[in-house]
Amino acid sequence: MKGNIAQLMQQAQRMQENMQRVQDELARTEVTGAAGGGMVSVTITGRMECRKVRIDPGVLADPEMAEDLIAAAFNDAVNKANAMSQEKLGAATAG
């Protein structure tokens, strides 16, 4: 019985170490979302920190369109970051 508990504790420790490693990796990883055929792009980290926003100057002529494209690019980046996080965290906890 004590052997099983010790084994479970070791597995939990390994999983916690894996999770920390993956979270650190996600913090360093960047993803880019785009909208308007690439006229606007937003780059964020796996921790959802914005790193860069690129806006084609032609978009600025229409402020409402620019706002919509920025929001769409940001949402695209967040969706990509979430998918990446789920994939990496799922792999870290598998088994």
Side-chain angles (χ1 to χ4, degrees):
M1 181 79 161
K2 283 187 178 185
N4 289 341
I5 292 174
Q7 210 172 17
L8 284 174
M9 293 296 288
Q10 287 176 344
Q11 285 178 332
Q13 178 67 30
R14 281 193 303 269
M15 189 169 91
Q16 187 175 21
E17 290 168 359
N18 284 342
M19 292 290 288
Q20 185 61 50
R21 182 185 49 77
V22 169
Q23 288 174 344
D24 292 343
E25 182 182 332
L26 287 171
R28 292 186 308 271
T29 304
E30 294 182 350
V31 295
T32 300
M39 294 175 72
V40 173
S41 65
V42 174
T43 302
I44 64 172
T45 68
R47 285 193 178 158
M48 308 300 170
E49 296 169 339
C50 188
R51 291 287 186 227
K52 182 174 20 173
V53 176
R54 192 197 64 74
I55 303 171
D56 184 290
V59 172
L60 299 176
D62 184 350
E64 284 184 34
M65 181 176 75
E67 290 171 357
D68 291 343
L69 291 176
I70 292 166
F74 183 79
N75 288 336
D76 185 42
V78 167
N79 289 334
K80 288 178 180 179
N82 283 334
M84 179 185 64
S85 293
Q86 287 179 351
E87 180 182 322
K88 290 185 185 250
L89 290 172
T93 60

